[in-house]
Amino acid sequence: MQYNAPVNEMQFLLKDVFDADRVWQSVPALAEAIEMETATAILEEGAKITQSLIAPLNRDGDEEGVGFDNGVVTTPKGYKDAYQTYAESGWVGLSGEPEYGGMGMPKMLGVLFDEMVYSASNAFALYGSLTAGAALCIAAHGSEELKQQYLPKLYSGEWGGAMDMTEPQSGSDLSGLRTKAVANEDGSYNITGSKIFITGGDHDLTENVIHLVLAKLPDAPGGSRGISLFLVPKNTVNPDGSVGDNNGVTCGAVEHKMGIKASATCVMNFDDAKGYLIGKVNRGLVAMFTMMNYERLSIGIQGLGCSEAAYQLAANYAKERKQGKGAGRGLGGEADPILVHGDVRRMLLDIASTTEAGRALSVYVGMQLDLAKHAEGDVQKQANDQVALLTPLAKAFFTDMGLESTVNAQQVFGGHGYIREWGVEQLVRDVRIAQIYEGTNGIQALDLLGRKLVANRGDALAKLKAQVEAELEGLSGAWLPQKQQLLESFDALIAKVGDIANSSNKADAVNSAATDFLHACGYTIYGWMWLKMVLAAEQGEFEKAFVERKGMLARYFFERKLPKAHYHLSIIKQDPAAVMAMPNEWF
Amino acid sequence: MQYNAPVNEMQFLLKDVFDADRVWQSVPALAEAIEMETATAILEEGAKITQSLIAPLNRDGDEEGVGFDNGVVTTPKGYKDAYQTYAESGWVGLSGEPEYGGMGMPKMLGVLFDEMVYSASNAFALYGSLTAGAALCIAAHGSEELKQQYLPKLYSGEWGGAMDMTEPQSGSDLSGLRTKAVANEDGSYNITGSKIFITGGDHDLTENVIHLVLAKLPDAPGGSRGISLFLVPKNTVNPDGSVGDNNGVTCGAVEHKMGIKASATCVMNFDDAKGYLIGKVNRGLVAMFTMMNYERLSIGIQGLGCSEAAYQLAANYAKERKQGKGAGRGLGGEADPILVHGDVRRMLLDIASTTEAGRALSVYVGMQLDLAKHAEGDVQKQANDQVALLTPLAKAFFTDMGLESTVNAQQVFGGHGYIREWGVEQLVRDVRIAQIYEGTNGIQALDLLGRKLVANRGDALAKLKAQVEAELEGLSGAWLPQKQQLLESFDALIAKVGDIANSSNKADAVNSAATDFLHACGYTIYGWMWLKMVLAAEQGEFEKAFVERKGMLARYFFERKLPKAHYHLSIIKQDPAAVMAMPNEWF
């Protein structure tokens, strides 16, 4: 698949929209690690490896899929060599802790590389992403011994990582977990049970896979407060760091899926496998949730990566494919490129105007994650609040827009879009999982509306609105109508949170409104991102075409996309009877 | 895959909502052929064959796909036997002309059986559907000789049918066709060229495949007015009706697709193949367009069939899958079925409220097709107008809702929805093609807004509004707000057509607005269908639960779906600059 990493757009965001150097210099840990020049070099290297090494594996990897024979999982042809090159170049450890061999790069930059890898290949990206996620959790909650033993091998990509949460009877609700942990005298635990849907649970890319497994101790309290987290290596690790025998961790099956076919989704069986506690007993979910914000953002970025890849394919096709004459705007030949047709432009502009705003938001959330981790005092507190508010939004909205974008791109291709060799239908299949895993988008919506907003009557949104108003002070007068439209949209969101908080049946009101509210919120936040980009484009030194193009996309967004927020809000009622009243047996 | 044909719902539409007996008795050709009792018996038989014979083939057929070896196309295991049973039971010829062996059933009934077959298996359904479509065209435009020679074998299902339009350089725009036809002295033609994307172009289900091929005579005028239509059998047909040697018609390849994998999508090569003119020289598109309304409706129904099948899978899953406790409405056990959750209900109600309205519209359009064919005078003229207006709408809106519904159903399943064995992801992949083929949905939208409405300044919609108002006279007072909302929606549509007709750049205004307009129109027409169903439920003799359930779905639709029409209309502007202004090179 042809892919060109949008490095210029990424630089624009880091440098001009979010003034990354200022952010990084404000925090000692980052001031030492990074400056804009380094960031640019990393983006350029990232572009090279994703374009030339990873993207070419994507189409064949989908056709070949993951093999499973006699308990052994094999990745498609070329994956192992490519993963080795990828890992040796340091990409798995890009955001890892420097004292254990990571590169210590801020997430604000990491999100952009994440997008490139997902654009190049969803399935390939997941192996590294899960490894980085496991490392993040170990770094935050593991003992010093575990960190020294495992982090360097995970950052170097020599070992892979996986998260083992779901069981057949226990998915969105983890309180029903049955995997057992029994304490040994040496402080370790024996883990027994079966997990499903384990991304990268087993494969042939690395000599070991380090599992983070949720399990229950025999005397644990019921429900979600009795869950502990354990590090369980597939193969035992000798004191010298070398890999020993199998640790009672086996893959029972790989799933046959709609997409991400080159990513191994495994049934994992643990049979008295030796594990090591991470964090505190019965506090496993807390440890898991530390990394959850990173993982959710990462999966959101899967949606962005697919949108960008789909846009590139469709825009190129629309410029090359000639078919019919553009009504009133033919270019004079026998046939015009289909890009002259209004409906084709609409689809491409829908993708571009949402993907570019989404990318900006991904950088913003990455920045807040960095500040939440490294800053102090009020700055840190505010960053934590914003992460809490914006992460569920980013995960769900990026991926919902990801499906919409890839479907639009496929539609631009007409009949060819349905044929596998053109690559665009794979993006539709691949992105679809991102709306489901890492907490379904419905659960993200409940988190956003119920826990993050209604619980505090929308304060977080009111604060955000004030911030937005201040940030957009310098915007030129031409954009006042859009600014007004944006602020009104914030007001409508805040009012709706109030309505729901006042509902006589708050639980039903939240549950029946959550997804629509999240979408209304998503379009509004994207409007904010667009005006930030317009402001930066107006104030920076750019070619006229760059500034004009950004302005056109922003106007398109405000004319045709932001109004959808009003639709979503208009159908949310204080009385949720329309959604809740029908008896179960009538479904 | 488990499937239960919604026979009761179908009877309700025929008998109570549309008073089929009255319609059928009003037209001599139908009065002889059918009455409600027969229709019910046919629906019940249809339910049996689709549930027990066809649905069980669907999942394995997707995994096995179509084989292609040494020029020979093979369908998946079980297809051939099932197709033979299906054909021998008369289903292929259900709506065929009785004088040539068809059953002569009205389309008003046929649409409901079509829905069942698509629900059971998209891929299987297409073989029969294309055969019926080819027969329809031959019946309307073929010579008596061709009809006698081909129709009985097509209706009996002994031979298959295919439409050969697209070529690599010529898809949405047929004016660039290169396939050549050269006249022979005996009145036949020699056809040479290559066609792509030919559904059911070759397979092992029947002993012959009858192709309807668009081609150009050497002296034909350029563009779309120089296209003729030819009947080209794969194998020659002897004077006694037996099948002879290959007629220079071969399959060059089968496509590897996203879905409908058990349907053979072929590259067809014609090498001096002997063909027979259908209709007049250079008037091939006219002949094709006769059946186009039937085919477009049929493909729309593919969308409906997938929606219904997806709904059934998801509703059953939501009732069986226990996970977490419903906030404020737990049923008391350790965990509740996920159906208690508002967001799950929302997804199911979205599907049900659009699918039931769509089914009603499919029957209405089928009825208009019957009247256009069999009635006379004003009734016929009005039916023709309604077919022209509603067919592009039905094709595009049913299939766009089909994708939305199947995606929603998949989401209800959580992680299991992404696993192929559960069947719901296949529906997403299968339905996706229906938005693309038989004229992309963007082209349907242009047809609706540009040719059918703006060209006559919206007269057709104004007439329809008057009809709707009259039809809903008897609705009880409780539904006045919804009726008002519906009529306002019609007014808004009519006003928007006026705006566009007055635009200074009408072509751009239509092109940039078409898809949004079609969606606004679709929700409005569905609102009409809902109030017709409510009225029929109020006035008929039904169990209270049936009437209440219809009322709840209708209220849901008016509260949560119809408002989307306003969003779509609100983003359509007289000045289409937002969509049209960006230079091609900035994409």
Side-chain angles (χ1 to χ4, degrees), chain A residues 171 256-257 319 323 329 343 345 410 418 420 429 432 508 515-516 549 560 582 586-587, chain B residues 171 257 319 323 329 343 345 407 410 418 420 429 432 508 515-516 549 560 582 586-587:
Chain A
H256 300 107
K257 308 186 299 294
K319 285 187 252 191
Q323 197 70 189
R329 47 176 54 231
D343 199 56
R345 300 172 73 89
Q410 185 183 22
Y418 202 66
R420 297 209 297 272
R429 289 186 289 107
R432 185 68 187 86
D508 279 0
T515 291
D516 284 288
R549 183 180 174 282
R560 296 186 51 96
M582 195 181 284
W586 292 2
F587 279 87
Chain B
K257 307 186 299 295
K319 284 187 256 192
Q323 198 70 190
R329 46 177 53 233
D343 199 55
R345 300 174 72 88
V407 166
Q410 185 183 23
Y418 202 66
R420 298 209 297 272
R429 289 186 287 105
R432 186 67 186 86
D508 278 2
T515 291
D516 284 288
R549 182 181 176 280
R560 296 185 52 97
M582 194 181 285
W586 291 2
F587 279 87

Side-chain angles (χ1 to χ4, degrees), chain B residues 11-33:
Chain B
Q11 281 181 276
F12 168 65
L13 291 174
L14 284 181
K15 184 164 169 297
D16 300 286
V17 179
F18 295 109
D19 199 356
D21 262 335
R22 194 186 49 76
V23 175
W24 295 335
Q25 280 157 26
S26 75
V27 180
L30 296 174
E32 288 164 30

Side-chain angles (χ1 to χ4, degrees), chain A residues 250-512:
Chain A
T250 52
C251 175
V254 296
E255 303 288 353
H256 300 107
K257 308 186 299 294
M258 182 188 200
I260 55 166
K261 292 187 180 182
S263 168
T265 306
C266 302
V267 174
M268 294 304 305
N269 298 320
F270 298 87
D271 185 11
D272 273 338
K274 192 168 270 198
Y276 309 94
L277 186 69
I278 294 185
K280 292 181 185 160
V281 163
N282 295 338
R283 303 281 288 164
L285 290 186
V286 177
M288 270 284 183
F289 270 97
T290 311
M291 67 164 190
M292 204 67 100
N293 284 324
Y294 284 84
E295 285 303 303
R296 289 188 167 172
L297 181 60
S298 170
I299 293 309
I301 291 169
Q302 181 181 352
L304 280 184
C306 289
S307 297
E308 174 64 28
Y311 178 79
Q312 293 187 15
L313 290 176
N316 287 336
Y317 186 82
K319 285 187 252 191
E320 282 165 16
R321 171 75 173 173
K322 293 188 178 176
Q323 197 70 189
K325 296 193 190 185
R329 47 176 54 231
L331 302 181
E334 275 215 4
D336 295 316
I338 59 172
L339 181 55
V340 302
H341 298 291
D343 199 56
V344 171
R345 300 172 73 89
R346 172 188 66 80
M347 294 189 275
L348 291 171
L349 291 167
D350 270 7
I351 310 175
S353 69
T354 50
T355 305
E356 294 192 17
R359 178 180 299 127
L361 183 59
S362 78
V363 175
Y364 184 81
V365 179
M367 180 169 92
Q368 301 305 320
L369 281 167
D370 291 332
L371 293 172
K373 181 173 175 184
H374 296 297
E376 292 174 346
D378 280 353
V379 175
Q380 185 180 41
K381 191 192 164 308
Q382 197 197 330
N384 266 318
D385 289 350
Q386 295 225 1
V387 166
L389 181 72
L390 296 175
T391 305
L393 177 82
K395 191 276 180 184
F397 201 60
F398 290 177
T399 58
D400 283 351
M401 291 299 103
L403 182 68
E404 201 172 299
S405 295
T406 54
V407 166
N408 267 331
Q410 185 183 22
Q411 194 73 15
V412 168
F413 276 80
H416 295 100
Y418 202 66
I419 309 297
R420 297 209 297 272
E421 66 176 294
W422 289 80
V424 68
E425 66 81 39
Q426 184 187 344
L427 290 167
V428 177
R429 289 186 289 107
D430 283 357
V431 81
R432 185 68 187 86
I433 187 60
Q435 300 174 287
I436 298 172
Y437 61 13
E438 205 60 38
T440 64
N441 285 0
I443 285 178
Q444 306 297 329
L446 286 179
D447 181 37
L448 175 71
L449 179 60
R451 294 180 54 204
K452 307 293 170 59
L453 287 171
V454 169
N456 64 16
R457 303 188 76 85
D459 285 356
L461 272 178
K463 271 188 206 157
L464 192 57
K465 185 197 162 194
Q467 176 189 331
V468 169
E469 229 173 330
E471 281 180 10
L472 299 178
E473 275 290 320
L475 201 63
S476 70
W479 291 93
L480 277 183
Q482 283 83 1
K483 187 171 158 186
Q484 192 56 32
Q485 192 188 346
L486 176 64
L487 296 175
E488 283 166 12
S489 215
F490 270 106
D491 288 338
L493 290 171
I494 293 163
K496 193 58 79 176
V497 173
D499 283 356
I500 294 170
N502 291 332
S503 168
S504 59
N505 186 342
K506 212 190 294 186
D508 279 0
V510 167
N511 289 340
S512 60

Side-chain angles (χ1 to χ4, degrees), chain B residues 551-571:
Chain B
M552 281 186 178
L553 284 175
R555 279 200 190 83
Y556 182 90
F557 184 86
F558 275 87
E559 182 170 317
R560 296 185 52 97
K561 305 308 291 180
L562 185 54
K564 206 166 187 182
H566 301 296
Y567 155 67
H568 285 294
L569 291 178
S570 76
I571 66 170

Side-chain angles (χ1 to χ4, degrees), chain A residues 64-76 127 198 201-204 234 249-257 261-269:
Chain A
E64 185 181 343
V66 162
F68 183 68
D69 188 28
N70 211 7
V72 177
V73 181
T74 46
T75 54
Y127 292 104
I198 308 308
D202 203 3
H203 53 74
D204 58 356
K234 169 185 165 186
V249 178
T250 52
C251 175
V254 296
E255 303 288 353
H256 300 107
K257 308 186 299 294
K261 292 187 180 182
S263 168
T265 306
C266 302
V267 174
M268 294 304 305
N269 298 320

Side-chain angles (χ1 to χ4, degrees), chain B residues 154-431:
Chain B
L154 289 166
Y155 291 148
S156 70
E158 287 163 272
W159 297 349
M163 319 286 177
D164 302 61
M165 298 195 263
T166 304
E167 298 177 11
Q169 77 293 341
S170 191
S172 297
D173 177 17
L174 292 169
S175 65
L177 291 184
R178 291 180 192 155
T179 295
K180 280 183 213 164
V182 179
N184 297 318
E185 292 197 352
D186 64 357
S188 70
Y189 294 80
N190 274 17
I191 311 294
T192 301
S194 191
K195 297 282 180 176
I196 63 168
F197 297 160
I198 308 307
T199 303
D202 203 3
H203 53 75
D204 58 356
L205 301 178
T206 57
E207 60 172 354
N208 208 352
V209 178
I210 311 306
H211 292 267
L212 300 190
V213 184
L214 290 178
K216 285 185 174 176
L217 289 163
D219 56 352
S224 58
R225 286 176 193 174
I227 297 172
S228 305
L229 182 64
F230 301 90
L231 184 158
V232 187
K234 169 185 163 187
N235 300 313
T236 56
V237 175
N238 299 319
D240 66 355
S242 65
V243 170
D245 296 337
N246 184 281
N247 180 32
V249 179
T250 52
C251 175
V254 297
E255 304 288 353
H256 300 107
K257 307 186 299 295
M258 180 188 203
I260 55 166
K261 291 187 180 181
S263 167
T265 306
C266 303
V267 174
M268 293 305 305
N269 298 318
F270 299 88
D271 184 11
D272 272 338
K274 192 170 273 200
Y276 309 93
L277 185 69
I278 293 185
K280 293 181 184 160
V281 163
N282 294 339
R283 304 281 288 165
L285 290 187
V286 176
M288 271 284 184
F289 270 98
T290 310
M291 66 163 193
M292 203 68 99
N293 284 324
Y294 284 84
E295 286 303 303
R296 287 187 170 172
L297 181 60
S298 170
I299 293 310
I301 292 169
Q302 181 181 352
L304 280 184
C306 290
S307 297
E308 174 63 30
Y311 178 80
Q312 292 187 16
L313 290 175
N316 287 337
Y317 186 82
K319 284 187 256 192
E320 283 165 16
R321 171 75 172 173
K322 293 187 177 177
Q323 198 70 190
K325 295 194 190 186
R329 46 177 53 233
L331 301 181
E334 277 215 1
D336 295 316
I338 60 172
L339 182 55
V340 303
H341 298 291
D343 199 55
V344 171
R345 300 174 72 88
R346 172 189 66 79
M347 294 188 276
L348 291 171
L349 290 167
D350 270 7
I351 309 176
S353 69
T354 50
T355 304
E356 294 193 16
R359 178 179 300 127
L361 183 58
S362 78
V363 175
Y364 184 81
V365 179
M367 181 169 90
Q368 301 304 320
L369 281 166
D370 291 332
L371 292 173
K373 182 174 174 185
H374 295 296
E376 292 174 347
D378 279 355
V379 175
Q380 185 181 40
K381 191 190 165 308
Q382 198 197 331
N384 265 319
D385 288 351
Q386 295 224 1
V387 166
L389 182 71
L390 296 175
T391 305
L393 177 82
K395 191 278 181 181
F397 201 60
F398 290 176
T399 58
D400 282 352
M401 291 300 102
L403 181 69
E404 204 172 298
S405 295
T406 53
V407 166
N408 266 331
Q410 185 183 23
Q411 195 72 16
V412 169
F413 276 80
H416 295 99
Y418 202 66
I419 309 298
R420 298 209 297 272
E421 67 176 296
W422 289 80
V424 68
E425 66 81 37
Q426 184 187 343
L427 290 167
V428 177
R429 289 186 287 105
D430 282 358
V431 80

